[in-house]
């Protein structure tokens, strides 16, 4: 494509090509607001068709999609008229609503049957100028095949022929009128001829009224489309002598603002009149007048030219009469003056030899260099031999019948040294008769329509190979797309290898950090056990409490580290509840204030009418605390920390920017006035073990835990930061349409050491954990049964043994997890109480925190006291009602 057709700086210059005004409008159009969407997503076949449309000088338009969205080029704009530029991109049935019923069947033929259509000079009443207008068009509809292989559009090449069709029709009426005036020898016959012609003329005459006056100035004819006899124009005879004495034969006069004229088929009354003196045959003195009212939508000169032809038809008979030839010099001069004004070519031939009596400049220009007046046609235009024109002239002369030729081909040698040139003519051969009715010559009139015929032929050729051109361009584009896809696949392969390398590097960093932290914790735990064993062998037990405290502290830190890793991986077990985030932040305000210290100012801006969100409130508290601690550390010299909540609507664009589906969200944002982050730090801020703090000052797991928790809760966390301008961390959580619940838990107390009655089934594949649980239950006074997998536990549940509580690990071997075991047990024991214990992330197995009544979950590692409290709490509650299938 030439660079001039597609400037790189212009939007969509590769689609809407070229410097035309319509292409510029298309580039500026808001396509995203239309059903077609943004142009970059359009099918390639539509883009190819648009390039053909916009680079053609022929009238074209195309429609696309089920609404037939309208596109067109500069050459088509005159056909649209005042509909341009509003027509661009609108449904075709809206653009051409006034003719939709005329063309909808043709469009359906293309869309539904895949067939092209062709119409020659089809009459359509369009409203391109603000009123219904009679127009004629030659056009074709061709199908456009989309990328899917189905017909998705329509392509139309069109040529308007309104001027030609209406001119031909008017010319025929005027010939009839002229022939009637020329052959009538009595005034009443003239009146009858004019009246009959006017009655049939309708809208084809280029005037709206016609009066005939005799020499005395009395009106002899009132036309069907005319004005009242009371109008001042009916006294026009009073000034005829002044005009004729001045030597004028035609003149015009205004009719005033509101002439008394019925509009009939016209849109408005005439605003001016043309008066033509009518000389009878052989008389120089006018015997009457034709008065023509000119419609404001048609030019005055159009009416004048029509009457030039009319007068030529009156004078020509005397010129073609050999007997009166010598006496007709004045009339020949008058006719020559009239011929000079004619827009087309005219000539008069005399006698059976067809001698050129008179030709106008247009005819001389048509035939070229030679002098033809006074010569027979065979001598003046010898190249017409063999083309049938001599025979045609003979036929008109001998038969007395006129001949109308449309788009007839003629070969002319326009200069002595030039080859024959092909021309196409529209013309009429009108026989001229004398008073006795004998044919004395031929009056010829017509126009050179070579350019019109060439345009029609080009239209046909375009229609014939349009589909082939589009298919060829489509194949070229498809091949280019395949090449681009291959290159894209190669790039993706390289990028995937790079991502895999980066992933392995991240895994290495993660495992290295975990190993380092757990080695430290294991050193503390194993060292405490080793010292306890050594002191026990020495009989020294006084330091046991200190060693136990050190080991328990290391175990708690290991549990916290595991918890953060599970949060980052989104595998922790959550207990989501409908939560009021404003209330949660308000309850933590004092804790946060103490955590960030007095050198930092705290501000909480809670949204009024904040929506509820479904979230684990304790994990949200941990996430908020982590964000506040990071904000504090980013303000070493003190500053302002702001916590803000808000309701957020996410549309498609906003959701895409935050990697969230569209919908309603609650946002919790923490903003500091600290040092800010570079773009490189922002990209890595949620990676586990990544930290900008000195060694020993942070684990790098706080923000990764916040990220994992937000994603596991169906939300997202985003960072907005600039160096030196502070940082904003926003957590987005989905809206929940239920009232918030009270999430406060009772303060743990030492479980009562009392005996209990009942039987508990313990199912866990880890013998040490199972032994600890059984021992605690035994201390509480429970009878216990054990199983190492789901199948063994289900066998016990399906027996007749009384069981008051099932304690089961969620992750069990053998193909049956703990939730499936509990469901199987409740099938035979409705209302069975269940306590799940888990050290992994079986949150999905547990229904994402939505447990049935009588079920609870306890996360590993847990204290033995916490286990005892949960067991006693479950045993003390009423059993849930059995589920009854409907």
């Amino acid at each position: 494509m030439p660079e001039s057709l597609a400037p790189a700086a212009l939007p969509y210059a590769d689609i809407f090509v070229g410097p035309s005004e319509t292409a510029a409008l298309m580039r500026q159009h808001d396509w995203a607001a239309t059903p077609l969407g943004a142009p970059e997503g359009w099918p390639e076949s539509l883009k190819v068709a648009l390039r053909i449309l916009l680079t053609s000088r022929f009238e074209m338009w195309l429609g696309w999609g089920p609404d037939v969205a309208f596109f067109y080029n500069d050459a088509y704009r005159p056909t649209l008229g005042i509909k341009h530029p509003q027509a661009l991109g609108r449904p075709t049935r809206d653009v051409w609503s006034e003719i939709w019923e005329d063309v909808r069947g043709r469009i359906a033929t293309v869309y539904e049957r895949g067939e092209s259509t062709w119409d020659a000079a089809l009459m359509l009443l369009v409203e391109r100028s603000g009123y219904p207008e009679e127009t004629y068009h030659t056009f074709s509809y061709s199908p456009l095949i989309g990328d899917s292989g189905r017909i998705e559009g329509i392509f139309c090449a069109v040529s308007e022929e309104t001027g030609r069709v209406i001119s031909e029709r008017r010319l025929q009426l005027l010939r009839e009128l002229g022939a009637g005036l020329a052959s009538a020898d009595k005034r009443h016959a003239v009146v009858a001829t004019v009246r009959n012609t006017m009655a049939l003329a309708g809208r084809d005459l280029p005037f709206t009224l016609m009066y005939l006056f005799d020499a005395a100035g009395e009106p002899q004819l009132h036309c069907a489309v005319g004005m009242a006899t009371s109008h001042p124009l009916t006294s026009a005879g009073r000034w005829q002598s002044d005009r004729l004495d001045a030597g004028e034969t035609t003149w015009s006069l205004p009719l005033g603002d509101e002439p008394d004229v019925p509009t009939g088929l016209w849109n408005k009354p005439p605003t001016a009149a043309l008066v033509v003196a009518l000389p009878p045959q052989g008389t120089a003195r006018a015997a009457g007048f034709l008065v023509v009212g000119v419609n404001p939508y048609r030019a005055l000169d159009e009416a004048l030219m029509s009457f030039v032809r009319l007068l030529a038809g009156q004078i020509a008979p005397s010129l073609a009469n050999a007997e009166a030839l010598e006496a007709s010099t004045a009339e020949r001069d008058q006719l020559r003056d009239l011929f000079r004004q004619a827009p087309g070519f005219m000539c008069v031939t005399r006698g059976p030899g067809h001698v050129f009596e008179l030709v106008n400049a247009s005819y001389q220009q048509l035939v070229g260099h030679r002098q033809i007046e006074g010569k027979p046609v065979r001598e003046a235009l010898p190249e017409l031999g063999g083309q049938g024109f001599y025979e045609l002239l003979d036929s008109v002369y001998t038969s007395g019948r006129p001949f109308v030729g449309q788009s007839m081909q003629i070969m002319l040698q326009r200069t002595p040294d030039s080859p024959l040139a092909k021309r196409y003519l529209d013309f009429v051969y009108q026989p001229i008769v004398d008073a006795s009715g004998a044919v004395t010559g031929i009056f010829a009139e017509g126009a050179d329509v070579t350019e019109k015929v060439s345009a029609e032929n080009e239209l046909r050729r375009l229609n014939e190979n349009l589909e082939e051109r589009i298919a060829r361009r489509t194949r070229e584009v498809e091949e280019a797309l395949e090449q681009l896809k291959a290159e894209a696949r190669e790039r993706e392969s390289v990028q995937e290898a790079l991502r895999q390398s980066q992933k392995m590097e991240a895994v290495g960093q993660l495992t290295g950090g975990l190993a380092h932290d757990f080695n430290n914790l294991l050193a503390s735990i194993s060292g405490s056990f080793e010292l306890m064993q050594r002191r026990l062998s020495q009989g020294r037990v006084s330091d046991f409490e200190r060693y136990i405290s050190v080991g328990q502290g290391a175990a708690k830190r290991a549990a916290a580290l595991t918890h953060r890793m599970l949060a980052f991986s989104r595998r922790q077990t959550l207990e989501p509840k409908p939560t009021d985030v404003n209330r949660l932040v308000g309850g933590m305000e004092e804790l946060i204030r103490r955590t960030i210290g007095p050198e930092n100012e705290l501000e909480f801006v809670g949204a009024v009418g904040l929506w509820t969100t479904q979230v684990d409130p304790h994990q949200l508290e941990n996430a908020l605390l982590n964000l506040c601690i990071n904000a504090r550390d980013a303000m070493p010299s003190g500053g302002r920390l702001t916590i803000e909540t808000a309701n957020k609507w996410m549309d498609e664009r906003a959701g895409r920017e935050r990697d969230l589906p569209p919908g309603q969200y609650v946002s919790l944002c923490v903003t500091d006035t600290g040092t800010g982050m570079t773009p490189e730090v922002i990209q890595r801020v949620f990676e586990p073990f990544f930290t900008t703090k000195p060694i020993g000052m942070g684990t790098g797991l706080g923000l990764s835990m916040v990220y994992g928790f937000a994603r596991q809760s169906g939300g997202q966390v985003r960072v907005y930061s600039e160096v030196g301008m502070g940082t904003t961390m926003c957590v987005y959580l989905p809206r929940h349409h239920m009232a918030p619940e009270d999430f406060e838990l009772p303060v743990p107390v030492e479980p009562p050491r009392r005996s209990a009655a009942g039987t508990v089934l313990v199912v866990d594949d880890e013998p040490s954990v199972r032994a600890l649980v059984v021992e605690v239950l035994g201390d509480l006074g429970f009878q216990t049964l054990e199983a190492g997998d789901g199948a063994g536990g289900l066998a016990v549940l399906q027996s007749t043994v009384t069981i008051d509580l099932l304690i089961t690990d969620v992750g069990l071997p053998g193909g049956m997890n703990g939730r499936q075991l509990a469901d199987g047990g409740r099938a035979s024991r409705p209302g069975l109480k269940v306590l799940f214990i888990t050290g992994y992330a079986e949150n999905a197995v547990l229904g994402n925190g939505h447990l049935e009544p009588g079920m609870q979950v306890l996360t590993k590692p847990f204290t033995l006291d916490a286990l005892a409290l949960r067991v006693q709490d479950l045993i003390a509650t009423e059993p849930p009602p059995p589920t009854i299938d409907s």
Side-chain angles (χ1 to χ4, degrees):
M1 182 183 300
E3 292 183 0
S4 62
L5 293 183
L10 298 177
Y12 306 122
D14 60 328
I15 302 174
F16 308 121
V17 298
S20 68
E21 178 186 336
T22 308
L25 287 172
M26 290 183 183
R27 289 191 288 267
Q28 298 166 7
H29 196 73
D30 185 11
W31 296 107
T34 70
L36 293 174
E40 57 263 25
W42 290 359
E44 196 60 35
S45 51
L46 172 57
K47 298 177 183 177
V48 170
L50 284 170
R51 295 184 189 111
I52 295 174
L53 176 87
L54 292 172
T55 54
S56 175
R57 296 184 180 180
F58 202 83
E59 290 185 69
M60 293 180 179
W61 68 269
L62 69 84
W64 192 263
D67 290 336
V68 200
F70 202 75
F71 298 85
Y72 54 94
N73 60 6
D74 272 10
Y76 189 79
R77 283 165 46 193
T79 299
L80 282 171
I82 63 174
K83 296 176 183 284
H84 168 77
Q86 293 82 4
L88 187 60
R90 294 177 57 203
T92 299
R93 68 178 305 152
D94 294 343
V95 175
W96 292 118
S97 58
E98 67 270 28
I99 60 170
W100 179 248
E101 294 302 322
D102 298 315
V103 300
R104 65 184 301 179
R106 293 167 171 84
I107 293 177
T109 297
V110 174
Y111 268 82
E112 297 172 7
R113 295 160 54 185
E115 298 176 2
S116 298
T117 67
W118 173 268
D119 286 280
L122 179 67
M123 195 275 281
L124 297 170
L125 289 175
V126 302
E127 298 181 9
R128 59 185 174 189
S129 302
Y131 57 86
E133 182 177 349
E134 181 182 356
T135 64
Y136 293 84
H137 302 266
T138 295
F139 61 93
S140 65
Y141 288 162
S142 300
L144 287 176
I145 309 301
D147 294 353
S148 63
R150 298 189 301 270
I151 296 171
E152 296 189 34
I154 185 171
F155 200 96
C156 177
V158 59
S159 174
E160 182 167 353
E161 301 193 58
T162 304
R164 179 185 67 80
V165 173
I166 293 181
S167 295
E168 290 175 356
R169 206 166 58 199
R170 289 175 177 169
L171 184 60
Q172 182 62 31
L173 286 166
L174 288 169
R175 287 194 190 97
E176 295 174 2
L177 181 59
L181 291 174
S183 61
D185 57 354
K186 294 183 180 179
R187 182 55 57 190
H188 70 272
V190 173
V191 172
T193 298
V194 175
R195 179 180 288 112
N196 293 338
T197 304
M198 289 292 291
L200 299 174
R203 61 182 178 275
D204 287 327
L205 285 176
F207 39 76
T208 58
L209 59 103
M210 187 173 180
Y211 272 65
L212 183 67
F213 293 84
D214 64 8
E218 294 299 326
Q220 298 295 319
L221 176 69
H222 298 279
C223 302
V225 182
M227 60 185 174
T229 56
S230 60
H231 193 275
L233 185 58
T234 59
S235 60
R238 72 173 185 267
W239 39 255
Q240 54 136 329
S241 58
D242 297 336
R243 296 285 185 147
L244 291 176
D245 291 342
E248 296 184 56
T249 57
T250 62
W251 62 92
S252 61
L253 70 157
L255 295 184
D257 296 332
E258 295 293 335
D260 185 13
V261 181
T263 58
L265 295 174
W266 306 100
N267 298 287
K268 288 186 177 181
T271 57
L274 177 70
V275 183
V276 182
L278 295 176
Q281 298 180 29
T283 305
R285 179 66 178 173
F289 304 92
L290 283 174
V291 183
V292 181
V294 181
N295 189 281
Y297 293 120
R298 289 158 176 84
L300 183 63
D301 60 353
E302 184 179 3
L304 178 60
M305 289 303 101
S306 299
F307 278 91
V308 166
R309 300 186 189 105
L310 176 62
L311 293 178
Q314 290 181 326
I315 300 173
S318 61
L319 294 178
N321 190 336
E323 297 176 357
L325 180 59
E326 297 301 325
S328 62
T329 302
E331 293 186 357
R332 180 189 291 108
D333 292 341
Q334 183 182 6
L335 189 58
R336 189 184 301 278
D337 291 338
L338 292 171
F339 275 15
R340 189 179 297 115
Q341 304 176 61
F345 62 77
M346 287 183 174
C347 72
V348 174
T349 62
R350 171 173 52 86
H354 314 302
V355 177
F356 281 112
E357 185 69 35
L358 192 65
V359 297
N360 68 350
S362 296
Y363 196 96
Q364 189 67 58
Q365 183 179 6
L366 174 69
V367 299
H369 64 286
R370 55 207 126 180
Q371 176 62 40
I372 63 174
E373 279 194 12
K375 296 180 180 180
V377 173
R378 284 177 172 83
E379 178 184 342
L381 303 174
E383 66 267 35
L384 294 184
Q387 298 186 46
F389 281 90
Y390 300 156
E391 294 78 8
L392 181 59
L393 286 167
D394 291 341
S395 174
V396 173
Y397 189 86
T398 56
S399 68
R401 291 192 298 269
F403 175 82
V404 178
Q406 290 187 323
S407 302
M408 290 193 65
Q409 178 179 317
I410 183 172
M411 304 296 293
L412 290 172
Q413 188 176 17
R414 307 183 71 177
T415 62
D417 301 326
S418 66
L420 290 175
K422 183 188 298 183
R423 310 301 295 174
Y424 291 91
L425 307 178
D426 283 353
F427 63 92
V428 175
Y429 286 165
Q430 179 73 40
I432 302 174
V433 296
D434 59 16
S436 65
V439 177
T440 61
I442 296 176
F443 176 59
E445 176 190 15
D448 187 344
V449 293
T450 303
E451 292 185 2
K452 179 184 75 68
V453 173
S454 299
E456 289 180 351
N457 293 337
E458 178 63 23
L459 175 61
R460 289 188 175 90
R461 286 193 295 272
L462 178 65
N463 181 64
E464 290 169 358
N465 63 19
L466 175 63
E467 294 182 26
E468 179 183 348
R469 290 174 59 194
I470 293 178
R472 182 173 64 252
R473 293 286 293 273
T474 302
R475 285 195 301 271
E476 293 172 357
V477 172
E478 287 175 349
E479 291 172 359
L481 286 176
E482 286 300 323
Q483 180 65 26
L484 291 175
K485 289 178 181 178
E487 294 175 0
R489 286 193 294 269
E490 184 177 353
R491 286 196 301 269
E492 288 177 1
S493 177
V494 174
Q495 291 172 352
E496 181 59 29
L498 176 61
R499 284 194 296 268
Q500 189 65 23
S501 173
Q502 292 172 337
K503 187 184 298 183
M504 294 306 297
E505 181 181 353
V507 170
Q509 181 183 6
L510 174 62
T511 55
L514 280 174
H516 173 270
D517 286 358
F518 270 104
N519 278 336
N520 290 337
L521 296 171
L522 289 173
S524 298
I525 295 172
S526 61
S528 297
F529 279 127
E530 186 176 349
L531 285 173
M532 289 172 63
Q533 185 178 23
R534 187 177 299 175
R535 295 296 182 264
L536 185 61
S537 63
Q538 296 172 353
R540 297 166 52 187
V541 295
S542 57
D543 294 331
F544 269 33
E545 186 174 348
R546 181 162 55 88
Y547 300 146
I548 292 171
S549 177
V550 171
Q552 286 181 331
K556 289 178 180 178
R557 290 196 300 278
L561 178 61
T562 304
H563 170 74
R564 292 188 174 190
M565 289 306 304
L566 288 174
F568 169 75
S569 64
R570 293 175 258 170
R571 308 287 291 203
Q572 64 181 332
T573 302
L574 299 177
E575 295 186 61
K577 299 178 181 179
T579 302
D580 182 345
V581 178
N582 277 346
R583 180 184 170 199
L584 182 144
V585 176
M588 294 183 63
E589 190 169 355
E590 185 58 34
L591 172 63
I592 294 172
R593 198 179 301 278
R594 291 198 306 269
T595 301
I596 65 175
E599 66 275 13
N600 294 302
E601 182 181 351
L602 175 65
E603 181 181 10
F604 172 45
V605 182
V608 177
L610 188 68
W611 296 327
T612 302
T613 182
Q614 177 87 343
V615 71
D616 186 322
H618 299 295
Q619 297 301 330
L620 182 57
E621 287 178 342
N622 289 337
L624 177 59
L625 192 58
N626 268 297
L627 295 178
C628 292
I629 292 172
N630 274 277
R632 177 201 65 190
D633 295 343
M635 301 185 292
S637 301
R640 173 186 290 271
L641 188 150
T642 304
I643 304 173
E644 186 174 3
T645 61
N647 296 326
K648 297 288 184 181
W649 281 87
M650 299 283 186
D651 57 15
E652 290 283 353
R653 181 187 60 81
R656 190 164 52 248
E657 291 175 353
R658 294 166 176 80
D659 193 19
L660 287 171
Q664 297 174 318
Y665 292 85
V666 174
S667 68
L668 173 62
C669 299
V670 176
T671 302
D672 64 64
T673 58
T675 56
M677 305 181 196
T678 65
E680 294 76 18
V681 171
I682 292 175
Q683 289 182 351
R684 302 189 60 191
V685 71
F686 295 120
E687 292 181 10
F689 298 107
F690 173 79
T691 181
T692 58
K693 299 176 183 177
I695 296 176
M697 296 296 292
T699 64
L701 286 172
L703 290 181
S704 65
M705 183 274 290
V706 174
Y707 175 82
F709 160 70
R711 297 301 283 163
Q712 190 175 356
S713 301
Q716 182 61 280
V717 59
R718 280 291 179 260
V719 183
Y720 310 91
S721 182
E722 292 185 27
V723 175
M725 300 297 292
T727 300
T728 296
M729 293 269 190
C730 284
V731 178
Y732 299 95
L733 299 168
R735 180 184 183 182
H736 186 66
H737 295 275
M738 288 184 64
E741 296 181 5
D742 186 357
F743 56 83
E744 298 293 340
L745 293 177
V747 178
V749 296
E750 182 72 17
R753 301 298 180 179
R754 56 182 177 81
S755 61
T759 303
V760 180
L761 173 60
V762 181
V763 183
D764 199 306
D765 62 313
E766 180 60 43
S768 60
V769 175
R770 195 167 66 240
L772 285 173
V773 173
V774 168
E775 186 169 346
V776 171
L777 293 174
D779 289 345
L780 293 175
F782 289 100
Q783 299 294 322
T784 58
L785 299 172
E786 298 181 45
D789 55 28
L794 186 60
V796 176
L797 289 172
Q798 291 176 343
S799 68
T800 59
V801 177
T802 300
I803 297 176
D804 300 289
L805 174 66
L806 168 64
I807 300 178
T808 178
D809 191 3
V810 176
L812 295 174
M816 180 183 294
N817 60 44
R819 180 57 188 263
Q820 292 169 332
L821 172 63
D823 291 342
R826 282 198 166 187
S828 56
R829 299 172 182 264
L832 175 67
K833 298 174 183 178
V834 182
L835 176 62
F836 296 106
I837 55 176
T838 177
Y840 190 50
E842 299 87 351
N843 195 33
V845 173
L846 297 178
N848 292 310
H850 299 285
L851 298 176
E852 297 175 8
M855 292 183 175
Q856 291 189 21
V857 63
L858 185 63
T859 304
K860 298 177 185 177
F862 51 82
T863 66
L864 300 182
D865 288 343
L867 172 64
L869 280 172
R870 287 295 185 95
V871 170
Q872 290 182 336
D873 181 57
L874 274 168
I875 291 293
T877 58
E878 293 293 329
T883 301
I884 301 176
D885 294 334
S886 58

